[in-house]
Amino acid sequence: MLSTDTDILKTAEDWRREGRGVAIATVIETWGSAPRPVGSHLVIDDQTNFLGSVSGGCVEGAVITEALDVLAEGKPRMLEFGVADETAWQVGLSCGGRIRVYVERVD
């Protein structure tokens, strides 16, 4: 079962209150077939705990890795994932679509 936006944002708030570093990733744009709609969230803490989903599979892992860099550097990032023949089974979307994900630190 996927968490609701309320669950995800509440978790981000709780983790910040506990003193954890927190980043949130949000799907801001999709093209073609995409596993999650615009507005989907993934919250990540500095201990690699996470809740929510922006895509699934390898993309989630890549977003978590990028989120840890965002936490360390303090600068937001725009990520884009799609599929190309040579990378179809690496980090990408095997469904043939593309997504754009914005990752920012929660202060």
Side-chain angles (χ1 to χ4, degrees), residues 56-63 80-84 87-94:
C58 297
V59 169
E60 304 276 79
V63 171
E80 191 170 321
F81 300 95
V83 65
T87 61
W89 303 110
Q90 295 175 6
V91 175
L93 298 175
S94 58

Side-chain angles (χ1 to χ4, degrees), residues 31-44:
W31 298 269
S33 179
R36 302 285 296 134
V38 168
S40 297
H41 298 293
L42 175 68
V43 63
I44 307 98

Side-chain angles (χ1 to χ4, degrees), residues 29-77:
E29 200 167 10
T30 65
W31 298 269
S33 179
R36 302 285 296 134
V38 168
S40 297
H41 298 293
L42 175 68
V43 63
I44 307 98
D45 77 1
D46 55 7
Q47 300 166 29
T48 67
N49 296 299
F50 61 93
L51 181 67
S53 177
V54 292
S55 177
C58 297
V59 169
E60 304 276 79
V63 171
I64 291 166
T65 298
E66 294 285 340
L68 294 173
D69 290 342
V70 166
L71 287 173
E73 299 167 9
K75 294 180 183 177
R77 294 188 182 184

Side-chain angles (χ1 to χ4, degrees), residues 11-34:
T11 297
E13 181 180 30
D14 291 345
W15 287 350
R16 281 297 302 141
R17 279 198 193 123
E18 293 170 9
R20 301 184 201 186
V22 176
I24 191 158
T26 305
V27 176
I28 62 161
E29 200 167 10
T30 65
W31 298 269
S33 179

